[in-house]
Amino acid sequence: MDIVLSQKTDKPIYTQIYEQIAAQIMNGDVAAGEKLPPIRTVAVNLRISVIPVKQAWEQLEREGFISTTPGRGTFVNELEHHEISSKRTATAEELLTKNLATCREMGLTLEEVLEIVKKKWYT
């Protein structure tokens, strides 16, 4: 499990952590049944407070990615293929909705946006 935090974004730290771990679970880099490190360990490794890590873990749990068992730890849940597909689609729609609104406000046409997406997709 790799987490890289950026100070050059307006995303809160807990959101960065949540998004990266969720993506790693959805693409199979973090496997079902895998035990996640304790919140304190992650916080120490990232040199941050435990609060954003705890917030990220709570969001991951709310959304069904992980489960915590007192005394045992936190583990990645087994997700059905349709659940992963649904979560991927929902995440992509959320990201695109925000960014497409900005593109529309800038006056870009759908064709211009699609051309940018195609160019970026292959770089």
Side-chain angles (χ1 to χ4, degrees):
M1 183 179 72
D2 294 320
I3 302 169
V4 178
L5 300 179
S6 173
Q7 302 299 325
K8 297 179 182 180
T9 181
D10 58 348
K11 286 184 186 177
I13 292 172
Y14 79 90
T15 300
Q16 293 180 55
I17 295 168
Y18 162 79
E19 288 177 351
Q20 290 179 48
I21 294 175
Q24 290 174 39
I25 292 170
M26 286 189 283
N27 70 24
D29 289 343
V30 179
E34 187 171 327
K35 185 175 182 178
L36 297 183
I39 291 171
R40 290 186 192 282
T41 302
V42 174
V44 167
N45 289 343
L46 294 175
R47 296 186 178 116
I48 59 172
S49 164
V50 297
I51 294 169
V53 180
K54 185 175 186 303
Q55 290 172 313
W57 258 232
E58 288 170 349
Q59 186 172 359
L60 287 163
E61 193 153 15
R62 270 193 312 275
E63 300 204 10
F65 287 106
I66 63 173
S67 295
T68 301
T69 306
R72 287 198 60 228
T74 301
F75 298 86
V76 176
N77 288 334
E78 181 77 40
L79 298 173
E80 298 293 327
H81 177 72
H82 72 277
E83 291 175 296
I84 293 171
S85 179
S86 175
K87 288 179 184 300
R88 281 182 181 158
T89 300
T91 301
E93 285 178 0
E94 182 182 331
L95 291 169
L96 289 171
T97 298
K98 292 176 188 174
N99 292 313
L100 288 174
T102 302
C103 290
R104 243 184 264 115
E105 291 168 5
M106 292 172 33
L108 291 169
T109 66
L110 176 58
E111 291 75 24
E112 290 171 319
V113 171
L114 290 174
E115 189 59 38
I116 293 167
V117 169
K118 286 178 186 175
K119 205 181 314 178
K120 293 297 181 180
W121 187 265
Y122 296 106
T123 59

PDB file of all heavy atoms in Angstrom, residues 94-118:
ATOM      1  N   GLU A  94     -18.116  11.307 -10.247  1.00  0.00           N
ATOM      2  CA  GLU A  94     -17.919  12.411  -9.296  1.00  0.00           C
ATOM      3  C   GLU A  94     -16.775  13.315  -9.749  1.00  0.00           C
ATOM      4  O   GLU A  94     -16.913  14.543  -9.774  1.00  0.00           O
ATOM      5  CB  GLU A  94     -17.637  11.848  -7.903  1.00  0.00           C
ATOM      6  CG  GLU A  94     -17.467  12.908  -6.848  1.00  0.00           C
ATOM      7  CD  GLU A  94     -17.151  12.316  -5.481  1.00  0.00           C
ATOM      8  OE1 GLU A  94     -17.577  11.191  -5.200  1.00  0.00           O
ATOM      9  OE2 GLU A  94     -16.463  13.000  -4.706  1.00  0.00           O
ATOM     10  N   LEU A  95     -15.648  12.709 -10.116  1.00  0.00           N
ATOM     11  CA  LEU A  95     -14.496  13.495 -10.569  1.00  0.00           C
ATOM     12  C   LEU A  95     -14.809  14.261 -11.845  1.00  0.00           C
ATOM     13  O   LEU A  95     -14.499  15.443 -11.969  1.00  0.00           O
ATOM     14  CB  LEU A  95     -13.291  12.581 -10.795  1.00  0.00           C
ATOM     15  CG  LEU A  95     -12.666  11.955  -9.558  1.00  0.00           C
ATOM     16  CD1 LEU A  95     -11.668  10.877  -9.960  1.00  0.00           C
ATOM     17  CD2 LEU A  95     -12.006  13.013  -8.695  1.00  0.00           C
ATOM     18  N   LEU A  96     -15.427  13.593 -12.794  1.00  0.00           N
ATOM     19  CA  LEU A  96     -15.734  14.240 -14.069  1.00  0.00           C
ATOM     20  C   LEU A  96     -16.771  15.343 -13.923  1.00  0.00           C
ATOM     21  O   LEU A  96     -16.674  16.379 -14.578  1.00  0.00           O
ATOM     22  CB  LEU A  96     -16.200  13.201 -15.091  1.00  0.00           C
ATOM     23  CG  LEU A  96     -15.106  12.275 -15.602  1.00  0.00           C
ATOM     24  CD1 LEU A  96     -15.708  11.145 -16.431  1.00  0.00           C
ATOM     25  CD2 LEU A  96     -14.070  13.041 -16.404  1.00  0.00           C
ATOM     26  N   THR A  97     -17.746  15.137 -13.064  1.00  0.00           N
ATOM     27  CA  THR A  97     -18.782  16.155 -12.866  1.00  0.00           C
ATOM     28  C   THR A  97     -18.170  17.472 -12.426  1.00  0.00           C
ATOM     29  O   THR A  97     -18.476  18.532 -12.982  1.00  0.00           O
ATOM     30  CB  THR A  97     -19.825  15.674 -11.834  1.00  0.00           C
ATOM     31  OG1 THR A  97     -20.453  14.502 -12.347  1.00  0.00           O
ATOM     32  CG2 THR A  97     -20.872  16.726 -11.561  1.00  0.00           C
ATOM     33  N   LYS A  98     -17.277  17.404 -11.459  1.00  0.00           N
ATOM     34  CA  LYS A  98     -16.626  18.621 -10.963  1.00  0.00           C
ATOM     35  C   LYS A  98     -15.792  19.286 -12.064  1.00  0.00           C
ATOM     36  O   LYS A  98     -15.875  20.490 -12.280  1.00  0.00           O
ATOM     37  CB  LYS A  98     -15.727  18.298  -9.772  1.00  0.00           C
ATOM     38  CG  LYS A  98     -16.466  17.869  -8.529  1.00  0.00           C
ATOM     39  CD  LYS A  98     -15.490  17.472  -7.451  1.00  0.00           C
ATOM     40  CE  LYS A  98     -16.206  16.845  -6.265  1.00  0.00           C
ATOM     41  NZ  LYS A  98     -15.267  16.318  -5.280  1.00  0.00           N
ATOM     42  N   ASN A  99     -14.994  18.486 -12.744  1.00  0.00           N
ATOM     43  CA  ASN A  99     -14.084  19.032 -13.746  1.00  0.00           C
ATOM     44  C   ASN A  99     -14.797  19.477 -15.011  1.00  0.00           C
ATOM     45  O   ASN A  99     -14.401  20.468 -15.635  1.00  0.00           O
ATOM     46  CB  ASN A  99     -12.976  18.025 -14.048  1.00  0.00           C
ATOM     47  CG  ASN A  99     -12.057  17.845 -12.856  1.00  0.00           C
ATOM     48  OD1 ASN A  99     -11.626  18.816 -12.253  1.00  0.00           O
ATOM     49  ND2 ASN A  99     -11.786  16.611 -12.496  1.00  0.00           N
ATOM     50  N   LEU A 100     -15.837  18.774 -15.400  1.00  0.00           N
ATOM     51  CA  LEU A 100     -16.576  19.184 -16.594  1.00  0.00           C
ATOM     52  C   LEU A 100     -17.309  20.496 -16.368  1.00  0.00           C
ATOM     53  O   LEU A 100     -17.427  21.311 -17.291  1.00  0.00           O
ATOM     54  CB  LEU A 100     -17.542  18.084 -17.030  1.00  0.00           C
ATOM     55  CG  LEU A 100     -16.882  16.853 -17.639  1.00  0.00           C
ATOM     56  CD1 LEU A 100     -17.920  15.767 -17.907  1.00  0.00           C
ATOM     57  CD2 LEU A 100     -16.114  17.204 -18.903  1.00  0.00           C
ATOM     58  N   ALA A 101     -17.774  20.709 -15.154  1.00  0.00           N
ATOM     59  CA  ALA A 101     -18.431  21.986 -14.844  1.00  0.00           C
ATOM     60  C   ALA A 101     -17.444  23.134 -15.041  1.00  0.00           C
ATOM     61  O   ALA A 101     -17.788  24.174 -15.612  1.00  0.00           O
ATOM     62  CB  ALA A 101     -18.975  21.969 -13.417  1.00  0.00           C
ATOM     63  N   THR A 102     -16.220  22.935 -14.597  1.00  0.00           N
ATOM     64  CA  THR A 102     -15.181  23.956 -14.770  1.00  0.00           C
ATOM     65  C   THR A 102     -14.892  24.180 -16.251  1.00  0.00           C
ATOM     66  O   THR A 102     -14.765  25.325 -16.703  1.00  0.00           O
ATOM     67  CB  THR A 102     -13.890  23.551 -14.027  1.00  0.00           C
ATOM     68  OG1 THR A 102     -14.194  23.365 -12.650  1.00  0.00           O
ATOM     69  CG2 THR A 102     -12.806  24.594 -14.175  1.00  0.00           C
ATOM     70  N   CYS A 103     -14.807  23.087 -17.015  1.00  0.00           N
ATOM     71  CA  CYS A 103     -14.562  23.209 -18.456  1.00  0.00           C
ATOM     72  C   CYS A 103     -15.681  23.990 -19.133  1.00  0.00           C
ATOM     73  O   CYS A 103     -15.421  24.836 -19.994  1.00  0.00           O
ATOM     74  CB  CYS A 103     -14.430  21.821 -19.094  1.00  0.00           C
ATOM     75  SG  CYS A 103     -12.920  20.955 -18.623  1.00  0.00           S
ATOM     76  N   ARG A 104     -16.931  23.700 -18.752  1.00  0.00           N
ATOM     77  CA  ARG A 104     -18.081  24.414 -19.325  1.00  0.00           C
ATOM     78  C   ARG A 104     -18.000  25.896 -18.997  1.00  0.00           C
ATOM     79  O   ARG A 104     -18.237  26.750 -19.852  1.00  0.00           O
ATOM     80  CB  ARG A 104     -19.380  23.823 -18.765  1.00  0.00           C
ATOM     81  CG  ARG A 104     -20.237  23.207 -19.831  1.00  0.00           C
ATOM     82  CD  ARG A 104     -21.564  22.718 -19.297  1.00  0.00           C
ATOM     83  NE  ARG A 104     -21.458  21.296 -18.994  1.00  0.00           N
ATOM     84  CZ  ARG A 104     -21.542  20.768 -17.789  1.00  0.00           C
ATOM     85  NH1 ARG A 104     -21.775  21.493 -16.743  1.00  0.00           N
ATOM     86  NH2 ARG A 104     -21.417  19.484 -17.621  1.00  0.00           N
ATOM     87  N   GLU A 105     -17.654  26.206 -17.736  1.00  0.00           N
ATOM     88  CA  GLU A 105     -17.533  27.610 -17.309  1.00  0.00           C
ATOM     89  C   GLU A 105     -16.453  28.341 -18.097  1.00  0.00           C
ATOM     90  O   GLU A 105     -16.553  29.540 -18.329  1.00  0.00           O
ATOM     91  CB  GLU A 105     -17.238  27.682 -15.811  1.00  0.00           C
ATOM     92  CG  GLU A 105     -18.402  27.256 -14.938  1.00  0.00           C
ATOM     93  CD  GLU A 105     -18.011  27.066 -13.481  1.00  0.00           C
ATOM     94  OE1 GLU A 105     -16.854  27.357 -13.109  1.00  0.00           O
ATOM     95  OE2 GLU A 105     -18.867  26.597 -12.716  1.00  0.00           O
ATOM     96  N   MET A 106     -15.425  27.610 -18.513  1.00  0.00           N
ATOM     97  CA  MET A 106     -14.344  28.209 -19.298  1.00  0.00           C
ATOM     98  C   MET A 106     -14.734  28.362 -20.764  1.00  0.00           C
ATOM     99  O   MET A 106     -13.986  28.934 -21.552  1.00  0.00           O
ATOM    100  CB  MET A 106     -13.084  27.348 -19.190  1.00  0.00           C
ATOM    101  CG  MET A 106     -12.461  27.354 -17.812  1.00  0.00           C
ATOM    102  SD  MET A 106     -11.102  26.167 -17.564  1.00  0.00           S
ATOM    103  CE  MET A 106     -10.303  26.073 -19.108  1.00  0.00           C
ATOM    104  N   GLY A 107     -15.882  27.825 -21.151  1.00  0.00           N
ATOM    105  CA  GLY A 107     -16.358  27.964 -22.516  1.00  0.00           C
ATOM    106  C   GLY A 107     -15.882  26.896 -23.480  1.00  0.00           C
ATOM    107  O   GLY A 107     -16.034  27.044 -24.696  1.00  0.00           O
ATOM    108  N   LEU A 108     -15.306  25.815 -22.955  1.00  0.00           N
ATOM    109  CA  LEU A 108     -14.853  24.735 -23.833  1.00  0.00           C
ATOM    110  C   LEU A 108     -16.049  23.961 -24.372  1.00  0.00           C
ATOM    111  O   LEU A 108     -17.036  23.750 -23.661  1.00  0.00           O
ATOM    112  CB  LEU A 108     -13.929  23.778 -23.077  1.00  0.00           C
ATOM    113  CG  LEU A 108     -12.565  24.323 -22.671  1.00  0.00           C
ATOM    114  CD1 LEU A 108     -11.867  23.374 -21.714  1.00  0.00           C
ATOM    115  CD2 LEU A 108     -11.704  24.576 -23.895  1.00  0.00           C
ATOM    116  N   THR A 109     -15.931  23.516 -25.605  1.00  0.00           N
ATOM    117  CA  THR A 109     -16.984  22.683 -26.182  1.00  0.00           C
ATOM    118  C   THR A 109     -16.726  21.225 -25.806  1.00  0.00           C
ATOM    119  O   THR A 109     -15.619  20.858 -25.392  1.00  0.00           O
ATOM    120  CB  THR A 109     -16.995  22.794 -27.721  1.00  0.00           C
ATOM    121  OG1 THR A 109     -15.775  22.230 -28.227  1.00  0.00           O
ATOM    122  CG2 THR A 109     -17.155  24.232 -28.183  1.00  0.00           C
ATOM    123  N   LEU A 110     -17.748  20.401 -26.017  1.00  0.00           N
ATOM    124  CA  LEU A 110     -17.607  18.971 -25.755  1.00  0.00           C
ATOM    125  C   LEU A 110     -16.486  18.388 -26.608  1.00  0.00           C
ATOM    126  O   LEU A 110     -15.679  17.594 -26.120  1.00  0.00           O
ATOM    127  CB  LEU A 110     -18.924  18.242 -26.027  1.00  0.00           C
ATOM    128  CG  LEU A 110     -18.904  16.721 -25.891  1.00  0.00           C
ATOM    129  CD1 LEU A 110     -18.470  16.305 -24.483  1.00  0.00           C
ATOM    130  CD2 LEU A 110     -20.258  16.138 -26.241  1.00  0.00           C
ATOM    131  N   GLU A 111     -16.411  18.787 -27.842  1.00  0.00           N
ATOM    132  CA  GLU A 111     -15.375  18.285 -28.746  1.00  0.00           C
ATOM    133  C   GLU A 111     -13.977  18.654 -28.239  1.00  0.00           C
ATOM    134  O   GLU A 111     -13.053  17.845 -28.295  1.00  0.00           O
ATOM    135  CB  GLU A 111     -15.584  18.829 -30.171  1.00  0.00           C
ATOM    136  CG  GLU A 111     -16.805  18.265 -30.873  1.00  0.00           C
ATOM    137  CD  GLU A 111     -18.128  18.854 -30.355  1.00  0.00           C
ATOM    138  OE1 GLU A 111     -18.130  19.978 -29.796  1.00  0.00           O
ATOM    139  OE2 GLU A 111     -19.162  18.170 -30.501  1.00  0.00           O
ATOM    140  N   GLU A 112     -13.820  19.886 -27.758  1.00  0.00           N
ATOM    141  CA  GLU A 112     -12.520  20.306 -27.214  1.00  0.00           C
ATOM    142  C   GLU A 112     -12.155  19.486 -25.984  1.00  0.00           C
ATOM    143  O   GLU A 112     -11.009  19.059 -25.831  1.00  0.00           O
ATOM    144  CB  GLU A 112     -12.551  21.799 -26.866  1.00  0.00           C
ATOM    145  CG  GLU A 112     -12.601  22.710 -28.085  1.00  0.00           C
ATOM    146  CD  GLU A 112     -12.850  24.163 -27.713  1.00  0.00           C
ATOM    147  OE1 GLU A 112     -13.684  24.437 -26.817  1.00  0.00           O
ATOM    148  OE2 GLU A 112     -12.204  25.030 -28.339  1.00  0.00           O
ATOM    149  N   VAL A 113     -13.128  19.256 -25.121  1.00  0.00           N
ATOM    150  CA  VAL A 113     -12.881  18.472 -23.901  1.00  0.00           C
ATOM    151  C   VAL A 113     -12.509  17.040 -24.280  1.00  0.00           C
ATOM    152  O   VAL A 113     -11.548  16.474 -23.739  1.00  0.00           O
ATOM    153  CB  VAL A 113     -14.104  18.502 -22.963  1.00  0.00           C
ATOM    154  CG1 VAL A 113     -13.931  17.515 -21.813  1.00  0.00           C
ATOM    155  CG2 VAL A 113     -14.338  19.912 -22.433  1.00  0.00           C
ATOM    156  N   LEU A 114     -13.249  16.445 -25.220  1.00  0.00           N
ATOM    157  CA  LEU A 114     -12.945  15.075 -25.641  1.00  0.00           C
ATOM    158  C   LEU A 114     -11.555  14.974 -26.253  1.00  0.00           C
ATOM    159  O   LEU A 114     -10.838  13.994 -26.027  1.00  0.00           O
ATOM    160  CB  LEU A 114     -14.005  14.575 -26.624  1.00  0.00           C
ATOM    161  CG  LEU A 114     -15.376  14.305 -26.024  1.00  0.00           C
ATOM    162  CD1 LEU A 114     -16.382  13.968 -27.118  1.00  0.00           C
ATOM    163  CD2 LEU A 114     -15.316  13.204 -24.984  1.00  0.00           C
ATOM    164  N   GLU A 115     -11.143  15.976 -27.015  1.00  0.00           N
ATOM    165  CA  GLU A 115      -9.809  15.981 -27.603  1.00  0.00           C
ATOM    166  C   GLU A 115      -8.740  16.030 -26.500  1.00  0.00           C
ATOM    167  O   GLU A 115      -7.733  15.329 -26.579  1.00  0.00           O
ATOM    168  CB  GLU A 115      -9.648  17.163 -28.570  1.00  0.00           C
ATOM    169  CG  GLU A 115      -8.378  17.120 -29.375  1.00  0.00           C
ATOM    170  CD  GLU A 115      -8.236  15.867 -30.221  1.00  0.00           C
ATOM    171  OE1 GLU A 115      -9.250  15.391 -30.774  1.00  0.00           O
ATOM    172  OE2 GLU A 115      -7.106  15.354 -30.307  1.00  0.00           O
ATOM    173  N   ILE A 116      -8.965  16.840 -25.489  1.00  0.00           N
ATOM    174  CA  ILE A 116      -8.026  16.925 -24.355  1.00  0.00           C
ATOM    175  C   ILE A 116      -7.958  15.586 -23.639  1.00  0.00           C
ATOM    176  O   ILE A 116      -6.872  15.090 -23.313  1.00  0.00           O
ATOM    177  CB  ILE A 116      -8.438  18.057 -23.380  1.00  0.00           C
ATOM    178  CG1 ILE A 116      -8.279  19.418 -24.059  1.00  0.00           C
ATOM    179  CG2 ILE A 116      -7.631  17.989 -22.094  1.00  0.00           C
ATOM    180  CD1 ILE A 116      -8.952  20.563 -23.315  1.00  0.00           C
ATOM    181  N   VAL A 117      -9.109  14.985 -23.403  1.00  0.00           N
ATOM    182  CA  VAL A 117      -9.153  13.690 -22.713  1.00  0.00           C
ATOM    183  C   VAL A 117      -8.394  12.641 -23.510  1.00  0.00           C
ATOM    184  O   VAL A 117      -7.579  11.896 -22.962  1.00  0.00           O
ATOM    185  CB  VAL A 117     -10.616  13.242 -22.460  1.00  0.00           C
ATOM    186  CG1 VAL A 117     -10.674  11.794 -21.994  1.00  0.00           C
ATOM    187  CG2 VAL A 117     -11.279  14.159 -21.442  1.00  0.00           C
ATOM    188  N   LYS A 118      -8.627  12.586 -24.814  1.00  0.00           N
ATOM    189  CA  LYS A 118      -7.925  11.611 -25.661  1.00  0.00           C
ATOM    190  C   LYS A 118      -6.419  11.812 -25.598  1.00  0.00           C
ATOM    191  O   LYS A 118      -5.648  10.862 -25.506  1.00  0.00           O
ATOM    192  CB  LYS A 118      -8.403  11.728 -27.109  1.00  0.00           C
ATOM    193  CG  LYS A 118      -9.777  11.169 -27.345  1.00  0.00           C
ATOM    194  CD  LYS A 118     -10.193  11.382 -28.793  1.00  0.00           C
ATOM    195  CE  LYS A 118     -11.626  10.970 -29.026  1.00  0.00           C
ATOM    196  NZ  LYS A 118     -12.064  11.274 -30.395  1.00  0.00           N
TER     197      LYS A 118
END
